[in-house]
Amino acid sequence: TVTFNTLLKGYSTFERNKRSGRVISFSQPHKAERLLDEMELSHYTKGTASFIRPDKYSYTTVISAYGRSNAKRKAAKSLEILHRMIDSYLEGNAAAKPGTFAFNAVLNACAHTRPPGERLEGFTILCKTLILLRDWATPDHTTYGTFLQASSNLLPRDEARKLRVVEAVFLSCVEEGQCGQMVVRNLKNVASPELYDTLVGRFVTEDGLDIPLRWRRNVPGHKDCLATSYFDS
């Protein structure tokens, strides 16, 4: 399994131009998925006699490969791999238990869905994935930050249904103490000026946004961060 996961990691990487920041080499999700197919086949045909068993790292890496690619309908493909992961776990593969990282990888694929014809599907998958996550794991600050980023990219800023979802998700984030820097940054990008003011306007200062400690109490390293550094206004 370790050798196969190393190969999967190679297929999931991409390269950017150091000067422009543009992607010059995309990941190879189809090759990664074919390798995952081989791992599943070996596991299901040989059972405990097989030394090759896809684990949570295997599935999450393939999902990430789709998110970092230019593949068509990559949000849908990422969700498909996530469901394969869940099915594998339910069929007795304890090593494939889905965790927060796997769900966040699907959200990331949604956030980087570019074709206009795929954006509505991407937003639908985005919402479905967040709902499904709660059955298996606990959302973290990356979950909420990526969700807001994806919402900003997928639908127009003044889309009424998007704003309703954004408000509900942000309030959940605050309640769970996961309001980290990524969340605050992406909230301003996705919310209308009126909604932004309603949600955090009372905490805006001359130095930035003074997020209450309880809002970020479960974000790793939050005690080491100055509240006023959470947003450059």
Side-chain angles (χ1 to χ4, degrees):
T1 298
V2 174
T3 300
F4 276 76
N5 282 346
T6 300
L7 291 172
L8 287 174
K9 182 65 175 179
Y11 290 140
S12 73
T13 58
F14 68 101
E15 183 179 358
R16 291 184 183 275
N17 183 290
K18 293 182 179 179
R19 290 187 177 181
S20 68
R22 297 183 62 183
V23 176
I24 57 177
S25 177
F26 287 96
S27 60
Q28 303 175 70
H30 301 299
K31 289 185 178 180
E33 185 174 357
R34 284 196 293 271
L35 190 58
L36 180 65
D37 292 342
E38 292 182 29
M39 297 177 74
E40 288 183 332
L41 182 62
S42 176
H43 174 62
Y44 291 131
T45 56
K46 298 181 180 179
T48 56
S50 174
F51 292 102
I52 303 172
R53 177 179 63 171
D55 57 18
K56 61 182 180 181
Y57 183 89
S58 311
Y59 288 102
T60 303
T61 303
V62 177
I63 295 171
S64 296
Y66 272 107
R68 296 167 176 168
S69 74
N70 58 356
K72 294 181 179 179
R73 301 188 67 228
K74 61 182 180 181
K77 287 297 298 184
S78 295
L79 182 60
E80 178 186 314
I81 300 298
L82 177 63
H83 280 297
R84 284 171 60 174
M85 183 181 189
I86 293 172
D87 290 343
S88 180
Y89 175 73
L90 293 177
E91 291 170 5
N93 181 7
K97 184 177 182 179
T100 304
F101 287 157
F103 291 90
N104 287 353
V106 177
L107 298 181
N108 184 66
C110 296
H112 292 90
T113 294
R114 302 302 184 191
E118 297 180 16
R119 290 179 185 174
L120 181 57
E121 178 186 54
F123 185 73
T124 301
I125 291 171
L126 180 76
C127 296
K128 287 182 177 179
T129 302
L130 183 60
I131 293 171
L132 183 62
L133 186 159
R134 295 184 180 279
D135 292 334
W136 292 94
T138 302
D140 61 13
H141 62 289
T142 301
T143 304
Y144 289 113
T146 306
F147 186 96
L148 294 177
Q149 177 189 12
S151 298
S152 177
N153 293 341
L154 294 171
L155 292 179
R157 190 170 189 175
D158 58 352
E159 176 82 31
R161 59 182 159 174
K162 180 178 78 171
L163 295 179
R164 289 194 297 269
V165 171
V166 164
E167 180 176 10
V169 168
F170 180 76
L171 292 177
S172 293
C173 175
V174 167
E175 180 68 23
E176 295 166 19
Q178 296 288 357
C179 190
Q181 295 186 25
M182 182 182 182
V183 172
V184 173
R185 180 175 65 250
N186 289 330
L187 176 66
K188 189 162 190 179
N189 292 334
V190 68
S192 65
E194 295 78 15
L195 178 58
Y196 182 81
D197 185 63
T198 298
L199 295 176
V200 299
R202 64 190 183 279
F203 300 115
V204 174
T205 70
E206 292 182 357
D207 299 317
L209 193 60
D210 188 10
I211 293 298
L213 179 60
R214 63 183 177 83
W215 283 22
R216 50 192 169 93
R217 65 189 183 278
N218 292 321
V219 178
H222 75 277
K223 293 181 180 179
D224 299 326
C225 298
L226 292 175
T228 51
S229 71
Y230 265 59
F231 192 81
D232 295 327
S233 58

